[in-house]
Amino acid sequence: MDPRQGRAFVDGERTLVDRAVFSDPALYQQELGRVFARSWLFLAHETQFGRAGDFFTTFMGADPVIVTRQRDGTYRVLLNSCRHRGMRVCRYDSGNAKAFTCPYHGWSYGTDGTLIAVPEERAAYGERLDRSEWGLAAVPRVETYKGLVFGTWDTEIPPLREYLGDVTYFLDVLLDPDGQGAVMVPGVHKWRMRGNWKLAAEQFAGDTYHVASTHLSAVLAEPGRSDEAPMPTTGFQVAMSGGHGIGGLDGFDYWRTAGFSEEVCEWMAGLADRAERHLGRPRARDAVFFHGNVFPNLSLLFIRSNLRIWHPKGPDAMEVYSWAVVPASAPPAVRRALLLDYQRHFGPSGTWEQDDGEQWHYSAGSGDGFIARGLPLHYRMGHERVPQASFPDFPGSVDDVYSEANQRCFYERWSELMAVPHPAEFRDGARPGIGTAGGSVDAQVVAP
Ligand code: FES
Ligand SMILES: [Fe+2]
């Protein structure tokens, strides 16, 4: 496969997408370098770390990493792969550690990644092991936005705030509605699903369209659902530079429609008033029922108090890490109601989650068949149509709720990145860094 063919899988008008992007093993391998190693990737929320040595293990693309809080309050992100044989040096989901000792032969690394102890070092290596060259690989850039911790292997892409760009306008509604921030409810839901990670990311970016079909039975079975207040059908899609997308419905008092208690409804109404003062009226009033995706694989659901990341696990599998996120100012009863609302709809016990998972399960491998492989997929909804939606204060490019503009924006960014090989890809049969003393991380993961 020509390594410069990324654009060939999304046509010039970006209204057709080749099924290979969801199933081709070679494209998947390219994606790990060209997309994931070149993007800011969400890692964790700051409220998951209380003190120095607290850690959380996750992934950056397919690379396992440990996020650790340092004594000075900063975060260090380490590749969770021993430099001796590649064993995971930390096999816990989270905890507190003074050091990470590899279970295999016992090499021990400080929370900053430094190789600090090697069992039987003198007998095994004499004076020949230069520990300073064999620390855990460290992610070179770690930055935060409103409590979200991100990292990137790329030393050249813009700072995080610039990378996020206009999508912060909407992120703030979830992360800081009233100036008091948000907290992650302790505990992370994790599960694996069949389906390429992009099936999920693009759906969250811009597919409000699927709700009435995919989730119809779940909507009809909602406890407390009021037939007098049907789901609205007007709203917006917002495509933003960088491949980010937000979509949602407007004019919708979700809390009363869904039958929440008077206490919750009143508190949420008060939050909306405070949000209007803090964020301004347009996003505090209109952007309240939305879903979205921060390119490449961080998704959010405002109304369901949810943040999640789609970890790629091969061309047709993904692993989801999902958190409930609630306003820090929410009293216990409201916090509990929001958590239950999230769990009832999303996460492993959620009806909507299972609805979506079924669609992705049976969409997976749609390009495996010989005949199906030749039939591109249709991404033309709303293309070359003048939008009726009017949200003059929203940033980005605003379209009607029934539009695939956000998906086209997502694949435009994806194909831009996929068109340029990552310098660390195999070239001429050799990989940069191998054969050099220590094989420094900088040598193996270099800027494009
Ligand atoms: S694999 Fe880690 S010490 Fe050998
Ligand atoms: Fe859905």
Side-chain angles (χ1 to χ4, degrees):
M1 182 180 295
D2 181 346
R4 293 185 178 272
Q5 290 294 306
R7 281 186 185 280
F9 295 93
V10 180
D11 81 353
E13 290 279 281
R14 301 184 305 279
T15 60
L16 297 174
V17 172
D18 194 307
R19 295 168 189 240
V21 308
F22 302 119
S23 58
D24 186 286
L27 278 179
Y28 171 76
Q29 287 301 324
Q30 289 180 348
E31 240 176 18
L32 296 180
R34 299 180 187 191
V35 175
F36 287 98
R38 282 194 179 125
S39 299
W40 280 101
L41 303 176
F42 172 69
L43 297 165
H45 191 274
E46 290 193 278
T47 53
Q48 293 179 255
F49 306 87
R51 57 198 175 104
D54 280 0
F55 67 85
F56 175 68
T57 55
T58 181
F59 293 87
M60 293 176 70
D63 286 310
V65 294
I66 314 168
V67 186
T68 64
R69 186 176 164 98
Q70 305 294 294
R71 286 183 192 285
D72 63 1
T74 61
Y75 298 92
R76 188 111 167 123
V77 183
L78 307 168
L79 195 63
N80 191 3
S81 180
C82 183
R83 297 294 300 279
H84 183 224
R85 287 291 185 280
M87 174 69 186
R88 298 262 176 98
V89 297
C90 179
R91 295 178 61 205
Y92 295 95
D93 292 345
S94 60
N96 184 276
K98 291 187 169 51
F100 298 107
T101 300
C102 179
Y104 201 166
H105 308 92
W107 285 23
S108 194
Y109 302 89
T111 57
D112 64 351
T114 309
L115 180 59
I116 52 177
V118 173
E120 305 295 346
E121 182 173 358
R122 185 165 295 276
Y125 299 103
E127 303 294 329
R128 289 170 163 246
L129 180 65
D130 182 351
R131 281 199 240 143
S132 69
E133 287 194 348
W134 294 95
L136 294 178
V139 174
R141 299 171 71 192
V142 180
E143 295 179 16
T144 62
Y145 180 76
K146 302 242 164 131
L148 306 187
V149 184
F150 290 77
T152 181
W153 292 103
D154 195 308
T155 56
E156 300 293 318
I157 61 172
L160 176 64
R161 182 65 182 76
E162 192 177 328
Y163 174 93
L164 294 174
D166 287 336
V167 79
T168 60
Y169 180 87
F170 297 99
L171 281 179
D172 290 353
V173 182
L174 180 66
L175 300 174
D176 190 24
D178 57 358
Q180 297 190 54
V183 294
M184 294 289 210
V185 177
V188 185
H189 279 138
K190 301 178 179 179
W191 69 98
R192 285 199 180 214
M193 284 190 291
R194 191 156 181 252
N196 184 279
W197 68 275
K198 295 189 294 300
L199 288 169
E202 66 149 85
Q203 192 224 67
F204 272 63
D207 190 346
T208 316
Y209 182 50
H210 81 285
V211 172
S213 175
T214 293
H215 300 302
L216 178 61
S217 58
V219 170
L220 293 175
E222 285 281 323
R225 176 179 174 274
S226 165
D227 287 333
E228 286 80 52
M231 290 273 287
T233 54
T234 59
F236 54 86
Q237 301 296 338
V238 184
M240 286 159 279
S241 175
H244 316 307
I246 294 284
L249 302 165
D250 67 341
F252 190 27
D253 185 351
Y254 171 70
W255 313 106
R256 289 197 187 281
T257 306
F260 280 81
S261 70
E262 192 59 32
E263 179 185 8
V264 173
C265 291
E266 278 185 17
W267 193 86
M268 294 307 294
L271 178 70
D273 291 340
R274 296 198 300 282
E276 186 171 333
R277 289 194 292 277
H278 182 60
L279 300 173
R281 185 173 181 80
R283 54 181 157 167
R285 295 295 178 190
D286 293 331
V288 294
F289 192 105
F290 68 77
H291 51 80
N293 188 66
V294 178
F295 190 90
N297 61 337
L298 168 64
S299 285
L300 58 139
L301 291 163
F302 172 73
I303 210 75
R304 304 291 189 220
S305 312
N306 180 226
L307 272 176
R308 63 200 25 232
I309 187 151
W310 318 101
H311 292 304
K313 295 293 174 192
D316 61 1
M318 60 182 136
E319 182 168 357
V320 191
Y321 282 16
S322 177
W323 292 258
V325 52
V326 298
S329 56
V334 173
R335 194 175 289 203
R336 179 173 166 75
L338 295 178
L339 177 61
L340 288 176
D341 187 56
Y342 153 68
Q343 290 178 338
R344 208 171 67 215
H345 295 92
F346 288 94
S349 61
T351 51
W352 286 44
E353 193 78 63
Q354 291 166 48
D355 290 341
D356 286 326
E358 186 174 6
Q359 310 303 343
W360 300 328
H361 181 97
Y362 288 103
S363 299
S366 76
D368 291 349
F370 179 76
I371 299 299
R373 190 182 304 164
L375 301 173
L377 300 173
H378 187 281
Y379 282 73
R380 288 187 173 153
M381 190 192 301
H383 188 55
E384 295 182 336
R385 179 185 65 199
V386 178
Q388 301 299 307
S390 178
F391 297 89
D393 294 298
F394 283 5
S397 174
V398 181
D399 207 333
D400 299 328
V401 69
Y402 293 129
S403 167
E404 286 166 346
N406 293 5
Q407 290 93 325
R408 292 190 288 274
C409 174
F410 176 93
Y411 285 108
E412 180 180 12
R413 180 63 183 149
W414 181 88
S415 58
E416 277 172 9
L417 290 169
M418 288 292 284
V420 183
H422 192 288
E425 290 178 21
F426 285 89
R427 281 192 191 139
D428 304 320
R431 188 172 188 176
I434 290 181
T436 61
S440 78
V441 175
D442 284 347
Q444 291 186 36
V445 182
V446 293

